[in-house]
Amino acid sequence: MYKLCLGLVFLVNIVPASAQSSNYVLQEPYISSGAINIAVSRDDGDLYFEEGEKNEKSGDLNDAITFFGKAAFEYNNVRNFSRYGASLLRLSHVHYLMQHYTEAEQVILNVALKTYSKSGNRLGQMASYNQLGRIYLASNKLTQSMWFYTQQGILAKQTNSNLNYIDSMLGIIRVKIKKREYAMALKDIQRVELLTKNTNTPQYQVQLRQVRAVIAEKKAGIR
């Protein structure tokens, strides 16, 4: 197994059996040492996460995978569930950037989503659904992509999360564009535009213009 898969193997091997609730909660960690080692691990987790970010920004994605995987392990050890979850999502994202879609998928399905679901952490579930939607869209698995974006939207409605709902709709629009369902995609764009206006969320205007432009180009036969 080449180096890029190390982060995934690393995480799968540390998954424990039980879960606990938190804002980014993930699984109940196995504690094998006392307070002194826990304090060191917490510092190491922050260091590894920062190094992962630096390497991702500089384009050293192999090293970013290694550091985000180490950060997840350390945060899990010290029960820092918020940072543990963030590390898992970032690890999956780096795999996604490298087009290692199987690894990106498995980090979410085998570690993050299962534990978010067990703990009832809806924010974590929605983030996981969105990430899976992006992964499957990029790998041209459109049925799966549509399903996960839809699940994110359903949960967003249940939790009155407008931002997550808009994110899910933008994902669904991109799936429909790839399926050449341009008329349906345009109707969804109109719905999202109205929602962003009513909820005062103008930050999505750039993305909405982009998907409109893509539809116009495709309908014109440019690509």
Side-chain angles (χ1 to χ4, degrees):
M1 184 71 70
Y2 56 94
K3 183 179 179 182
L4 301 178
C5 295
L6 289 178
L8 174 63
V9 174
F10 185 73
L11 282 172
V12 170
N13 287 336
I14 67 172
V15 177
S18 59
Q20 176 172 323
S21 178
S22 159
N23 284 338
Y24 261 101
V25 226
L26 291 192
Q27 296 169 330
E28 180 77 8
Y30 170 71
I31 301 298
S32 60
S33 58
I36 294 177
N37 286 336
I38 287 177
V40 172
S41 294
R42 187 181 301 276
D43 292 339
D44 286 347
D46 291 339
L47 176 62
Y48 289 142
F49 193 93
E50 290 172 5
E51 288 299 316
E53 286 189 316
K54 289 178 184 177
N55 281 279
E56 181 183 343
K57 289 177 181 178
S58 65
D60 298 322
L61 301 184
N62 284 329
D63 289 335
I65 284 175
T66 299
F67 283 116
F68 282 131
K70 288 182 177 180
F73 178 81
E74 296 297 337
Y75 288 133
N76 185 62
N77 264 353
V78 299
R79 301 175 179 258
N80 189 334
F81 299 110
S82 175
R83 300 294 286 177
Y84 179 38
S87 299
L88 293 174
L89 291 171
R90 292 294 291 274
L91 175 62
S92 175
H93 177 65
V94 176
H95 276 301
Y96 169 85
L97 292 177
M98 301 185 75
Q99 300 182 4
H100 298 151
Y101 300 130
T102 298
E103 290 86 348
E105 171 196 23
Q106 293 305 313
V107 169
I108 303 298
L109 283 179
N110 287 347
V111 188
L113 183 57
K114 286 183 178 180
T115 51
Y116 280 136
S117 299
K118 287 179 181 178
S119 66
N121 186 319
R122 295 189 170 188
L123 287 176
Q125 285 177 262
M126 287 187 284
S128 298
Y129 289 147
N130 184 270
Q131 177 71 353
L132 288 167
R134 293 171 64 241
I135 293 165
Y136 289 128
L137 178 61
S139 56
N140 208 37
K141 297 179 180 179
L142 302 185
T143 300
Q144 294 95 321
S145 180
M146 179 72 78
W147 191 86
F148 280 107
Y149 280 131
T150 300
Q151 296 309 303
Q152 181 190 10
I154 291 172
L155 202 50
K157 280 188 172 182
Q158 292 174 354
T159 56
N160 296 316
S161 176
N162 289 324
L163 297 182
N164 270 288
Y165 184 73
I166 293 171
D167 282 338
S168 74
M169 287 300 301
L170 286 168
I172 288 171
I173 288 166
R174 292 187 177 97
V175 174
K176 289 180 178 178
I177 290 173
K178 208 159 189 180
K179 293 172 71 176
R180 300 182 180 179
E181 297 174 349
Y182 304 132
M184 295 177 64
L186 284 170
K187 288 182 180 179
D188 286 340
I189 290 173
Q190 291 173 353
R191 290 172 54 199
V192 174
E193 287 175 336
L194 181 60
L195 180 59
T196 59
K197 181 179 180 180
N198 292 339
T199 58
N200 193 28
T201 50
Q203 63 266 37
Y204 291 98
Q205 294 307 310
V206 172
Q207 292 185 62
L208 289 166
R209 286 196 295 270
Q210 288 174 343
V211 291
R212 276 191 177 278
V214 170
I215 292 174
E217 290 174 358
K218 287 185 175 293
K219 290 178 71 175
I222 295 177
R223 56 180 178 178

